[in-house]
Amino acid sequence: MLLKPHAANSSVTTACGNCGMEDQLLLHNVRYRGSFRHLCTTCVLRLHPQSFCPTCFQVYPPPPPNGAVLTCVRCGSSTHSQCVSAPPKPYICPLCVNPNACVFKLKPAEKDNAEGLCVLMMDRDAARKLLAAAKIVCASLNKAAAAAKAEAERRAKEAVLTRRKAQEALEHLAHLMMKEKLRKRENPPIRLGYGEGGFRGSNSKASPVILGTKPNSAAPLPTSMMGDAGEIVEWSDSDIDQILFSDEDTGAGNLDF
C-alpha cells in the first residue's frame, strides 16, 4: 500500500498530540483520559498496552485465558504464550524492551512519483499494527458515545423533573394568591373616621358617616387609633375588638358599629 504525504499548506493536523512528531500521515482521533486527542499509531498502541497482544497485535476482547498468556511486569500487557518461544523470567514484552522505538513504521517506496514527493509504502506488519490501533480507537469512541448518551439522558430527566417542580411551584403560588383574594373579599378591612355621631366604622349599620379628618366638634380620637397627622386609619375586625377592650376604661371616643 502506497501513501502520499499531505501538502505543505494543508490544514490537516499532522502532529501527534502525545509525542509531538510532525508529518505523521495517519493520525487517530481517540478519546484518552476524558479528552479527544490526535495520536499517531505508535502512541495509540503504547497508551493502550493491555488492549492487544504486543507480539501478534491481536486486539482483545475476547481476552485469552490466564494460562495462555504471559503478563509483562512493566506495562501489564498480555502476550499469547504461543507467540513467544522462550519467554524470559520475569517476562518483558517487546514494547517495553525498546520503550523509545517507533512501533509503526512506513518504508519509502522504491521509486518516487512524478510529482517529486516521497511516497511511503505500508507492508503487512505495519498494516497489522495500524489495524490494531484502529480497533482500539473504535472501541474508545464507542465507549465515549455510550457515555455521552447516558449523560444526555440523565440531563434530560433532570430537566423534566426541574420543569415539573417549577410548574408545581407556580400552581401553588396561584392557589395562595386566589386564597388571599377570597379571604379579603369575605373579611374586608373596616375603615374608621369621624362623623357627626362620633367615631364610627365605614361598614356600620347606623346612619352614614362622613369620613375625613378629625372635626373640632367630634369626640377625641384615642391615641392608639390616631395617626401622626390625624389621618384615616384602616382597621380589621380583630383590631376593632382590641380597641374596644383597650379603651373601655378610658371612655375615650365613641365607637358605633
Side-chain angles (χ1 to χ4, degrees):
M1 181 178 178
L2 299 179
L3 298 177
K4 184 189 299 185
H6 296 294
N9 58 353
S10 176
S11 59
V12 179
T13 303
T14 58
C16 175
N18 183 61
C19 64
M21 292 186 62
E22 298 287 344
D23 297 331
Q24 293 292 329
L25 295 178
L26 300 172
L27 292 180
H28 308 269
N29 186 15
V30 58
R31 187 173 185 267
Y32 181 71
R33 293 184 177 179
S35 62
F36 289 92
R37 305 168 63 182
H38 288 86
L39 302 179
C40 64
T41 302
T42 297
C43 289
V44 170
L45 296 176
R46 288 195 176 277
L47 293 177
H48 301 82
Q50 299 178 2
S51 300
F52 62 95
C53 173
T55 302
C56 67
F57 292 92
Q58 178 185 353
V59 179
Y60 307 132
N66 295 330
V69 295
L70 299 173
T71 302
C72 178
V73 295
R74 293 185 181 180
C75 66
S77 62
S78 298
T79 304
H80 296 114
S81 300
Q82 64 270 18
C83 294
V84 183
S85 57
K89 294 183 180 181
Y91 176 72
I92 301 176
C93 68
L95 297 182
C96 294
V97 172
N98 299 313
N100 297 324
C102 183
V103 179
F104 178 74
K105 296 180 180 180
L106 295 177
K107 299 179 181 180
E110 296 179 357
K111 296 182 180 180
D112 296 342
N113 60 350
E115 298 178 359
L117 298 176
C118 180
V119 178
L120 302 178
M121 180 180 62
M122 182 184 301
D123 57 5
R124 185 179 297 273
D125 180 69
R128 185 170 63 249
K129 296 175 181 178
L130 178 63
L131 179 61
K135 289 182 178 180
I136 294 173
V137 171
C138 182
S140 173
L141 294 180
N142 288 336
K143 292 181 180 179
K149 182 180 179 181
E151 180 67 14
E153 292 177 351
R154 184 186 66 82
R155 293 190 178 186
K157 292 180 180 179
E158 289 182 355
V160 171
L161 181 60
T162 304
R163 182 179 180 182
R164 185 181 304 170
K165 290 182 178 180
Q167 185 66 26
E168 292 176 355
L170 291 176
E171 292 177 355
H172 182 64
L173 178 61
H175 174 72
L176 293 179
M177 294 177 64
M178 182 61 66
K179 187 176 180 180
E180 181 66 16
K181 288 182 180 180
L182 294 177
R183 187 190 66 80
K184 289 183 178 181
R185 187 178 301 175
E186 294 175 358
N187 300 314
I190 299 176
R191 193 179 185 190
L192 303 180
Y194 273 93
E196 296 179 356
F199 192 60
R200 297 176 181 271
S202 61
N203 61 347
S204 174
K205 297 181 180 179
S207 59
V209 180
I210 300 176
L211 300 178
T213 57
K214 173 182 175 183
N216 296 329
S217 60
L221 180 65
T223 57
S224 60
M225 297 182 186
M226 185 175 63
D228 295 336
E231 71 276 10
I232 297 172
V233 183
E234 299 286 344
W235 300 95
S236 62
D237 292 341
S238 59
D239 295 329
I240 295 299
D241 295 337
Q242 184 178 358
I243 292 171
L244 291 175
F245 286 107
S246 61
D247 294 337
E248 195 172 282
D249 299 335
T250 60
N254 183 12
L255 298 178
D256 187 5
F257 293 93

